[in-house]
């Protein structure tokens, strides 16, 4: 939960506002307290939308829909105002985590937990459908977990089953990955109660496996799979649960059970007030978030009654004692972000002066599967910060705080919460991988803490505003452009064979899919795509088929082992054309397994090399500091750290000038308007581009910027780095498709330079 801003009201509708739970494009959600002490989540519509008649009509419909549903498993409305100057809707609050949050942290839930979810949510949907409504957005983010069962929330796009939608007929309404085939085809006008049952099936499959049943990635591909492909229920060993989900996920709405039939079909006890239906780590999460409510202003903690029976209570019940005493277990609308927890040993210590530290966080995999990349990024950040701190005229001193998520999504979410809670952290660089980034974004987003990743390249993350997130690297999809350019912008290539090996996971599939899609867009060439299941060992027949179909260039999207098998299979043919793969294949494993067949293979990479001319001075500084060559991603992390330093200096010095009423001496310099150039080690955070303006110490007094200001400054100001120019579009995605090219020569990877771009 964030603090209230000066522009926020202190009271609304008889509620004293305590903080911000979240904000979107249409309104703000506050945590409020009534005079009687009850907590409520209050959605307040922004003034610019309150005057829109169509929007107000939609809001009235949302309020009416929520009020008409009566179920202990759907969060109840406690108050609303639809006609006033600032319309609002209040619902009961309990700080339970969303199902999406719980699964991201701990992985799939046990079978019994999934059955309880299914039975109680089917009862909630039965109440929705009996009220003549269709929810239309049943998804893990709209289900909150409490000790006594789940709660269905958010009737923002619910409507009467026979009503005409207030949207254009070709608009997909709902959340891709958790919507029905009838919703995926557009409009939502034909989506009836059976559509909610399909979405519930997707939700339960996600809870049981930790992944959506139709995958993730590009929205168009996801919608296509929802309509045409069978769901992926792999890993669900319970035959009864598998049969239940198969029925819910039938393509034909008429073949799905109703919500009431689903309730009757699931043989599982209702948990009552017992927490036994949830695994202990989820119970602890509920307890932690409930305990955070004890610190709210103006709320007196109620002493818990001592249990009459045993002297040694069940550990799982003990976890919830303080939370039950503090805020009760009523239904909830939104979950608080801040949680209880201890700082790590890596946290910097404050001095006796009481001055706050200026911290750049490093959120990385330092001991897990991507530890080499994570450690390289930590070194790059530390080098940039040390360079800045070595300047005598710096306006402040920076500290680096590194936390290890071990490449684990659940731990990544926890690391993000620790950084978000430490108010001295002004920006974070990381996380290292796609899954870790997706799990961490909710905490960073709610705290409005800038987070910049250089190595998480997913084309899409779970739906959220991502208001403080910067993907400071080309996505897997964006890397398709340099691949296509390298292979097809030559006279001897007309058809690109695209081999998508499922062993490479989502990252490989996204690159392969995008390359296949972009080839006819960027060139006059064609493609011949092949997809092989994970674990396919004999690729010779696939290679033969691709060559039979006149593929005169090959792009392999998969893992290192599959790339080696592809190289060996190609070497046994007469094929002499170009072969290319993504950077994740590069490594000693590919060279060892492919042997001589690896020679000539090329790789598109988002990271530069220590031998690149632009990296010369950085490489020398890295050698001096760490007695080692910089590893992949070190230069990019150094760049992004420099970008953050620029933003902090610009804001701190400008605010310091305002505080003293004196100019900062930057007349005639680039100031904050032009491109910032601090990519070179001797300039990183030190010379004019980094705030070393020559102004007097009094005029350059640093004023600590707020987190939101840091986000805005990073978004607005281009930065010239070693690897590329860092500039972001309106969605804070990296502008440009800069990439780098490597080739295997003499059993080693040789850096060839920047990847080619079209000449026109």
């Amino acid at each position: 939960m964030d603090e209230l801003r000066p522009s926020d009201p202190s009271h609304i509708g008889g509620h004293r506002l305590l903080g911000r739970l979240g904000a979107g494009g249409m309104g703000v959600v506050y945590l409020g307290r009534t005079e009687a002490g009850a907590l409520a989540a209050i959605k307040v519509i922004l003034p610019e939308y309150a005057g829109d008649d169509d929007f107000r009509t939609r809001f009235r419909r949302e309020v009416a829909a929520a009020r008409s549903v009566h179920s202990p498993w759907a969060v109840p409305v406690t108050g609303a105002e639809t006609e006033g100057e600032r319309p609002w809707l209040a619902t009961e609050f309990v700080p339970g985590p969303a199902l999406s949050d719980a699964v991201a942290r701990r992985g799939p839930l046990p079978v019994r937990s999934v059955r309880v979810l299914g039975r109680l949510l089917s009862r909630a949907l039965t109440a929705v459908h009996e009220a003549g409504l269709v929810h239309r957005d049943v998804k893990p983010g709209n289900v909150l977990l409490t000790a006594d069962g789940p709660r269905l929330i958010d009737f923002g796009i619910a409507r009467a089953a026979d009503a005409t939608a207030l949207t254009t007929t070709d608009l997909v309404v709902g959340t891709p990955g958790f919507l029905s085939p009838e919703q995926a085809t557009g409009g939502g006008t034909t989506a009836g109660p059976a559509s909610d049952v399909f979405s519930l099936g997707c939700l339960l499959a996600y809870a049981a496996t930790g992944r959506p049943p139709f995958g993730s990635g590009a929205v168009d591909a996801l919608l296509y799979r929802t309509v045409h492909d069978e769901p992926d229920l792999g890993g669900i060993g319970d035959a009864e649960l598998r049969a239940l989900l198969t029925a819910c996920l039938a393509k034909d709405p008429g073949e799905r059970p109703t919500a009431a039939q689903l309730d009757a079909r699931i043989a599982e006890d209702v948990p009552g007030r017992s927490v036994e239906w949830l695994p202990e780590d989820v119970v602890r999460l509920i307890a932690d978030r409930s305990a955070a409510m004890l610190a709210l202003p103006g709320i007196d903690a109620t002493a818990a009654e001592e249990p009459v029976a045993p002297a040694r209570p069940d550990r799982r019940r003990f976890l919830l004692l303080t939370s039950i005493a503090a805020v009760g277990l009523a239904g909830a609308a939104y979950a608080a972000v801040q949680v209880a927890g201890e700082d790590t040993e890596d946290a910097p210590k404050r001095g006796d002066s009481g001055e706050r530290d200026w911290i750049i966080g490093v959120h990385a995999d330092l001991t897990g599967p991507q530890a080499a990349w994570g450690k390289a990024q930590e070194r790059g950040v530390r080098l940039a910060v040390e360079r800045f701190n070595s300047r005598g005229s710096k306006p402040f001193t920076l500290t680096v705080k590194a936390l290890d998520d071990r490449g684990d999504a659940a731990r990544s979410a926890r690391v993000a919460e620790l950084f978000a809670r430490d108010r001295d952290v002004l920006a974070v660089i990381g996380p290292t991988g796609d899954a870790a980034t997706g799990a961490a974004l909710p905490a960073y987003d709610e705290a409005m803490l800038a987070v910049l990743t250089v190595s998480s390249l997913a084309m899409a993350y779970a739906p959220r505003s991502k208001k403080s997130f910067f993907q400071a690297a080309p996505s897997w999809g964006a890397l398709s452009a340099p691949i296509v350019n390298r292979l097809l912008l030559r006279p001897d290539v007309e058809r690109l064979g695209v081999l998508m090996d499922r062993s490479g996971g989502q990252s490989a599939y996204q690159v392969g899919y995008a390359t296949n899609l972009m080839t006819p867009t960027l060139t006059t060439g064609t493609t011949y795509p092949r997809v092989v299941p994970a674990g396919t060992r004999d690729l010779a027949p696939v290679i033969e088929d691709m060559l039979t179909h006149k593929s005169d260039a090959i792009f392999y999207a998969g893992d290192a082992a599959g790339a080696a098998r592809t190289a060996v299979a190609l070497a046994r043919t007469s094929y002499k054309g170009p072969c290319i793969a993504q950077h994740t294949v590069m490594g000693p494993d590919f060279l060892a397994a492919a042997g001589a067949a690896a020679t000539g293979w090329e790789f598109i990479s988002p990271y530069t090399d220590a031998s690149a001319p632009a990296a010369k001075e950085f490489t020398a500084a890295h050698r001096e500091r760490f007695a080692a060559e910089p590893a992949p991603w070190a230069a990019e992390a150094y760049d992004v750290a420099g970008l953050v330093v620029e933003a902090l200096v610009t804001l701190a010095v400008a605010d310091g000038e305002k505080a003293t009423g004196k100019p900062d001496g930057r007349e005639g310099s680039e100031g904050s308007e032009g491109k910032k150039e601090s990519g070179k080690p001797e300039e990183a955070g030190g010379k004019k581009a980094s705030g070393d303006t020559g102004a007097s110490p009094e005029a350059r007094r640093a004023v600590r910027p707020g987190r939101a200001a840091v986000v805005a400054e990073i978004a607005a100001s281009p930065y010239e780095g070693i690897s590329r120019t860092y500039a972001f579009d309106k969605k804070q995605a990296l502008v440009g498709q800069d990439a780098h090219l490597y080739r295997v020569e003499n059993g080693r990877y040789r850096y060839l330079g920047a990847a080619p771009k079209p000449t026109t």
Side-chain angles (χ1 to χ4, degrees):
M1 182 176 70
D2 290 335
E3 296 179 357
L4 293 174
R5 300 176 184 176
S7 59
D8 288 330
S10 59
H11 292 77
I12 194 161
H15 301 83
R16 177 191 171 188
L17 302 187
L18 306 174
R20 282 175 164 238
L21 294 174
M26 304 298 182
V28 180
V29 181
Y30 299 99
L31 179 64
R33 176 178 180 265
T34 67
E35 293 182 0
L39 294 175
I42 307 159
K43 179 189 294 186
V44 181
I45 303 306
L46 295 175
E48 54 264 40
Y49 293 101
D52 185 318
D53 291 340
D54 287 342
F55 186 86
R56 192 179 283 266
T57 298
R58 291 188 181 93
F59 186 68
R60 291 191 195 102
R61 188 180 62 187
E62 176 182 355
V63 172
R67 277 180 161 161
S68 65
V69 176
H70 303 287
S71 169
W73 316 117
V75 62
V77 174
T78 59
E81 171 58 68
T82 62
E83 307 305 323
E85 182 178 348
R86 297 201 68 179
W88 57 271
L89 167 67
T91 56
E92 287 187 2
F93 176 86
V94 66
L99 173 62
S100 55
D101 194 7
V103 172
R105 291 165 183 273
R106 64 94 56 202
L109 299 182
V111 170
R112 186 185 177 225
S113 299
V114 178
R115 286 176 175 167
V116 172
L117 275 174
R119 185 160 204 185
L120 299 186
L121 291 176
S122 67
R123 292 183 180 183
L125 287 178
T126 298
V128 171
H129 299 159
E130 287 177 348
L133 300 171
V134 182
H135 189 285
R136 300 202 299 168
D137 201 18
V138 179
K139 62 181 180 180
N142 279 343
V143 172
L144 300 181
L145 303 179
T146 72
D148 60 344
R151 299 292 189 276
L152 180 65
I153 66 170
D154 198 352
F155 291 82
I157 61 173
R159 64 176 178 85
D162 58 352
T164 301
L166 295 176
T167 55
T168 57
T169 57
D170 61 347
L171 179 66
V172 174
V173 179
T175 302
F178 298 94
L179 43 67
S180 65
E182 51 268 36
Q183 286 175 293
T185 54
T189 55
T190 61
S195 178
D196 284 343
V197 172
F198 188 96
S199 297
L200 178 59
C202 293
L203 178 148
L204 297 176
Y206 170 83
T209 66
R211 62 184 185 276
F214 297 100
S216 58
V219 172
D220 288 349
L222 184 54
L223 298 179
Y224 180 88
R225 292 194 295 271
T226 299
V227 175
H228 298 286
D229 292 358
E230 292 303 312
D232 176 10
L233 301 180
I236 301 178
D238 186 87
E240 184 179 345
L241 178 59
R242 192 182 184 96
L244 188 78
L245 297 182
T246 300
C248 291
L249 296 173
K251 301 298 185 187
D252 184 350
E255 295 180 2
R256 302 170 202 153
T258 65
Q261 291 169 343
L262 196 60
D263 175 19
R265 183 170 171 176
I266 301 174
E268 190 61 67
D269 293 334
V270 176
R273 291 186 67 84
S274 168
V275 296
E276 291 296 331
W277 76 283
L278 287 171
E280 184 169 327
D281 45 3
V282 177
V283 175
R284 182 177 297 278
L285 180 59
I286 295 173
D288 284 347
R289 295 200 169 181
S290 299
M293 296 298 101
L294 290 169
L296 289 172
I299 298 180
D300 297 323
T302 303
E305 291 186 5
E306 292 292 332
V308 177
R312 298 184 65 183
D314 184 302
R315 174 176 176 80
R316 293 157 65 83
R317 287 190 58 80
F318 176 77
L319 289 173
L320 286 177
L321 284 179
T322 57
S323 64
I324 294 172
V327 296
L329 289 168
Y334 292 88
V337 170
Q338 291 180 327
V339 298
E342 298 180 356
D343 290 330
T344 68
E345 294 180 359
D346 202 9
K349 305 297 187 291
R350 275 63 170 171
D352 296 335
S353 66
E355 293 184 2
R356 294 175 62 183
D357 290 329
W358 296 54
I359 300 174
I360 294 179
V362 177
H363 179 162
D365 177 359
L366 300 176
T367 57
Q370 293 181 311
W373 288 358
K375 291 176 181 177
Q377 291 177 33
E378 180 188 4
R379 285 184 169 185
V381 174
R382 290 193 183 278
L383 183 57
V385 168
E386 290 170 7
R387 287 284 181 174
F388 170 76
N389 287 341
S390 68
R391 298 298 171 183
S393 58
K394 61 184 181 295
F396 50 80
T397 298
L398 281 170
T399 301
V400 175
K401 176 179 179 179
L403 296 180
D404 180 15
D405 66 19
R406 302 176 188 169
D408 177 74
R411 186 174 175 87
S412 177
R414 178 63 176 157
V415 165
E417 288 178 351
L418 290 173
F419 275 133
R421 194 181 63 203
D422 187 343
R423 302 305 298 177
D424 289 348
V425 177
L426 294 170
V428 173
I429 295 168
T432 311
D434 292 352
T437 299
L441 287 184
Y444 289 128
D445 196 39
E446 289 297 327
M448 199 57 181
L449 176 58
V451 54
L452 304 93
T453 180
V454 298
S455 56
S456 177
L457 312 181
M459 293 171 64
Y461 298 89
R464 57 177 60 90
S465 66
K466 299 188 287 293
K467 58 191 176 186
S468 65
F469 173 56
F470 295 87
Q471 192 175 34
S475 70
W476 297 115
L479 286 174
S480 65
I483 291 169
V484 172
N485 292 337
R486 177 64 176 175
L487 291 177
L488 286 164
L489 296 182
R490 57 176 78 188
D492 57 335
V493 173
E494 292 293 334
R495 172 167 290 185
L496 172 61
V498 180
L499 177 51
M500 289 176 272
D501 187 340
R502 287 292 195 176
S503 297
Q506 277 297 310
S507 61
Y509 185 78
Q510 288 179 21
V511 176
Y513 179 87
T515 300
N516 183 60
L517 187 68
M518 294 303 294
T519 295
T521 301
L522 297 176
T523 73
T524 58
T526 59
T527 62
Y528 183 70
R530 284 293 306 268
V531 180
V532 297
T536 303
R537 300 201 57 83
D538 186 7
L539 292 175
V542 180
I543 296 299
E544 181 180 356
D545 177 64
M546 298 178 78
L547 298 182
T548 299
H549 285 82
K550 300 182 180 179
S551 298
D552 41 22
I554 299 293
F555 169 56
Y556 172 83
D559 62 1
R565 288 193 289 271
T566 301
V568 170
L570 279 169
R572 292 171 179 165
T573 71
S574 60
Y575 178 78
K576 301 299 181 184
C579 302
I580 203 164
Q582 59 200 117
H583 66 282
T584 52
V585 167
M586 290 172 61
D589 291 347
F590 172 74
L591 295 178
T599 300
W601 270 66
E602 295 183 347
F603 303 87
I604 291 292
S605 167
Y607 54 76
T608 190
D609 188 73
S611 64
K616 180 179 179 181
E617 294 171 11
F618 163 75
T619 299
H622 192 282
R623 288 195 196 110
E624 180 180 356
R625 171 63 176 84
F626 301 108
E629 294 288 308
W633 302 112
E636 286 70 25
Y638 178 89
D639 282 346
V640 172
L643 187 160
V644 171
V645 170
E646 290 288 351
L648 296 179
V649 171
T650 298
L651 293 168
V653 174
D655 288 343
E657 176 190 349
K658 292 178 183 177
T660 60
K662 296 181 179 181
D664 67 359
R666 287 186 291 173
E667 289 82 3
S669 70
E670 285 186 328
S672 61
E673 297 295 329
K675 182 183 293 184
K676 299 177 180 179
E677 298 180 350
S678 298
K680 296 181 180 180
E682 73 274 14
E683 294 178 349
K687 293 189 177 180
K688 281 191 176 181
S690 297
D692 190 4
T693 62
S696 68
E698 181 184 8
R700 298 181 61 254
R701 187 183 73 179
V703 174
R704 184 186 184 86
R707 286 177 168 178
V710 175
V711 171
E713 180 65 23
I714 292 172
S717 303
Y719 180 88
E720 188 69 32
I722 296 168
S723 179
R724 58 176 49 85
T725 296
Y726 292 84
F728 301 96
D729 61 20
K730 293 182 179 179
K731 294 183 179 180
Q732 296 177 186
L734 186 70
V735 175
Q737 299 167 333
D738 298 275
H740 301 270
L741 190 63
Y742 294 78
R743 179 190 294 143
V744 177
E745 295 179 0
N746 299 318
R748 296 183 178 183
Y749 298 103
R750 185 170 78 84
Y751 178 64
L752 300 182
K757 297 180 181 180
T759 56
T760 58

